[in-house]
Amino acid sequence: MSDAPEVRPPVVTPVRVVIALCLIAPFVAMLWVGSYAKMDPAFAGIPFFYWYQMLWVLISTALTMIAYKLWQRDQRARRGGAE
């Protein structure tokens, strides 16, 4: 047993900040209703209000997938560095 303190990687890392931004962005986009509460520009006859929200369904899926993959990579790196 050694008297040296255990060195752990920092809890807040740039990768974890990116993960948090990926997960928070859809909430901010959807909660800021004033930014998309309008009719124009219409897309294929669908008012902006509706197609903007449907677009965010796809964007949210992509951002969640990116966050998950980054989290997996971060966890593998932490386990590999600790052993």
Side-chain angles (χ1 to χ4, degrees), residues 18-30:
V18 171
I19 291 168
L21 290 174
C22 285
L23 296 175
I24 290 171
F27 287 102
V28 172
M30 291 292 91

Side-chain angles (χ1 to χ4, degrees), residues 9 71-83:
W71 179 259
Q72 283 184 320
R73 190 174 73 180
D74 182 62
Q75 292 305 301
R76 275 194 307 271
R78 284 176 171 273
R79 277 194 304 271
E83 296 177 344

Side-chain angles (χ1 to χ4, degrees), residues 25-75:
F27 287 102
V28 172
M30 291 292 91
L31 290 175
W32 186 19
V33 178
S35 69
Y36 63 92
K38 52 190 168 186
M39 297 292 285
D40 291 326
F43 176 72
I46 302 170
F48 181 73
F49 181 80
Y50 295 112
W51 69 258
Y52 178 82
Q53 291 178 62
M54 291 299 107
L55 180 63
W56 269 101
V57 170
L58 300 174
I59 294 169
S60 297
T61 302
L63 289 174
T64 302
M65 183 180 67
I66 290 167
Y68 178 70
K69 293 297 182 183
L70 287 173
W71 179 259
Q72 283 184 320
R73 190 174 73 180
D74 182 62
Q75 292 305 301

